[in-house]
Every structure is written in structure tokens, then in C-alpha cells.
Amino acid sequence: MDTTARDHYFSDFAQALRYWRGKRGLSQLGLSAEADVSQRHISFLESGRSQPSRELILKLGLVLDVPLRQRNAMLLAAGFAPAYQERDLSDPELAAVRQALEFMLAQAAPYPALVVDRLWNLVMANEPAIAMMRFLLDMPAHAPIPRDGSLNVIRLTLTALRPMIVNWEEVCADQLLWLQREAMSDGPGSEATALLRELTALPATATQAPNLERRALPFLPLTLRKGEVTLNLFTTITTLGTPHDVTVHELRLESFFPADEASAAWFRALAEARR
């Protein structure tokens, strides 16, 4: 994580602690009880009168359930080095993680599944997902779909796929809600905030402001229609977490399941055609 990242989050540790305590709805007394730290010390930390140790920052981050990326930001704001690594998924040390993801993607076939990062940039996908994208976007059978993080799935959904999404308002609201949560965690200077600003400026999303009061469903109904083909699907999100790696902690596996037999048959036929 670049040391300039602290400018994207907090000017100092005191600001960071106030932010996350408020975000979790805890009083200073409540946090002191949860963290087994005196209320007086919490007050001094938030006013800047006391400086935290590295160990205390990690403890408070755990108690406040701060995402790993933001725990690194809190450490940086206090003048410490990050505690959690952030690596590309192609890193040899993450080979076992990649192998596990490839296994899960393969097991999802003949139905689509893909892996995205926290901003919904595509990093992995199974063949049914690639085939579905090519079909929807009128791409040649062997046209490449970038899986290096350069293709943003939310941007694709809200632009090129927009005409084919029957339940557009529901899908759009869900996509913007996920991104809004990332933007709130990362702060005003972050990539998440810039992406949210870009996507909410689109004509198609002008009336779909993120609604934080809306509860995210455990699955998202998705109906796609192209020509004579109608696909009734629902999607689920699986998150992966390790206590020491930002990259893996932020990965999400999105799986697409048929909601009726006609949709299931379409994917089975697509799989047969690829053989």
C-alpha cells in the first residue's frame, strides 16, 4: 500500500479512530469496555493527546471490525508500516488461493461464476460466464474477455448490458449499494468514490441514487432478455477472508444460478455447443 494512501483516508490516527468508532455506533465508554482500554485513554487518543502503539491500533481495528485495507490506513496515519500485505492474485504465494478459486469456478459449471475485487473488477471467470458475456455483447465465439482487472463488471452492467436487464431498477440499486459501501469505507479521495461518482453520473442511473437504508438481499434476482432468449437467474456473493492478506480478504465470488428449468436448459445447451 502506497504511503500516500493515508491522504485518501485520514489526516492522523485521531481522526481515523473517531471515524470508525462513530461508524460502529460506539461511545468512548462502549469502545473502552470492548477493547479493555480506559475511557480516558480513548479520549486522549481521539484528541491527539496520546499516541497509540502499533499493537493497540491492531487491537482497536479488530474490536471495531475495520476492514484490513483500512487497518493499514490507520497504521499509516499513526506513522507505522502496514500490517497486512496487498498482492496481485498472480503472486506465487497466492497460488493455493488461485487454485481453490479455479476449483470453485469449475464446480459452478455449466452455470456462470466469476471472481471480482472490491471494486468489481473482473479477475477470474469460468467458461460459462465468458460464453454468456459473449452472447449478450454479440462477440465472436473466441473473442477474449479481459480477466486482468481492466474490465469493471458494475460499469459493464450499467452500460452495455443495460438494455438486456429486465429488472433494471432492482439490479442498478443493488450494484450502486455495494459500491457506496466501499466508497464510505475508503473516503472521498478513493478509487471507490471516483467510480461511484462516474457511474451515478450516467443518464441511466440518474434516478437510482444509492440507498443505504435498503437491506441487501442474500441473493439478487436477475432477468436478462436478448431476442428470443430470456434468462431468469439469481446471483449470490461469496466473500473470502484471511486475517493477514488484503487481496484475498477483498475478493468476491459471484455465482449465477438458473431460477427456472428453461434457463437451466439454455446453459446446458451452451455447454454442449462448446464441446
Side-chain angles (χ1 to χ4, degrees), residues 66 68 127 161 238 266:
V66 178
L68 300 188
E127 284 307 311
L161 297 181
T238 302
W266 187 86

Side-chain angles (χ1 to χ4, degrees), residues 137-208:
L137 298 172
D138 287 321
M139 298 175 67
H142 299 290
I145 300 288
R147 283 168 270 186
D148 57 1
S150 61
L151 174 63
N152 185 270
V153 174
I154 291 184
R155 183 186 288 114
L156 181 69
T157 302
L158 301 185
T159 54
L161 297 181
R162 162 71 180 92
M164 285 157 275
I165 301 175
V166 176
N167 58 328
W168 161 252
E169 291 189 359
E170 190 173 16
V171 171
C172 181
D174 184 85
Q175 299 282 273
L176 293 179
L177 179 60
W178 276 102
L179 198 52
Q180 175 75 347
R181 288 172 172 170
E182 295 295 339
M184 288 185 66
S185 290
D186 286 3
S190 67
E191 289 181 272
T193 300
L195 180 59
L196 180 65
R197 186 182 302 114
E198 173 200 335
L199 296 181
T200 52
L202 295 171
T205 62
T207 61
Q208 295 292 326

